[in-house]
Amino acid sequence: MKTLIVVTMLLAGQAAALQQTPTAQQAQPEEAQKDPVCGMKVKKDAKFRSVHREKEHLFCSKSCKERFDSNPEKYVKK
């Protein structure tokens, strides 16, 4: 009888642990890109964008975009 109680408690604990574990979709952070000017992570739906050498760059703010646009070669890796 004690064995049955212990097994039941173990199974109940595993079920509770599974319910608290996030799914793969929940655990993955939203994709982000690095702002080439300040280094902040920027979400893919960012408002501020520029294209340089056929590559789109995302920015956290208007000022970072303006700094990049004034001298893109300073911020892109060659």
Side-chain angles (χ1 to χ4, degrees), residues 21-32 41 43:
T21 304
T23 64
Q25 187 176 9
Q26 292 171 330
Q28 292 177 353
E30 190 171 323
E31 290 186 36
K41 287 187 179 180
K43 292 181 182 179

Side-chain angles (χ1 to χ4, degrees), residues 5-22:
I5 293 171
V6 170
V7 171
T8 303
M9 291 173 63
L10 287 173
L11 290 174
Q14 288 178 340
L18 287 175
Q19 290 175 350
Q20 294 175 357
T21 304

Side-chain angles (χ1 to χ4, degrees), residues 37 50 52 59 62-75:
V37 176
S50 286
H52 177 70
F59 305 93
K62 182 179 177 184
S63 63
C64 280
K65 180 188 180 324
E66 290 172 345
R67 289 174 68 187
F68 179 87
D69 290 342
S70 69
N71 187 6
E73 293 300 319
K74 180 179 178 180
Y75 302 103

Side-chain angles (χ1 to χ4, degrees), residues 30-36 39-44 46 49-50 55-60:
E30 190 171 323
E31 290 186 36
Q33 183 176 326
K34 188 175 176 181
D35 182 320
M40 284 182 61
K41 287 187 179 180
V42 183
K43 292 181 182 179
K44 295 284 185 181
R49 302 163 178 264
S50 286
K55 182 177 184 222
E56 184 175 54
H57 300 275
L58 307 179
F59 305 93
C60 68

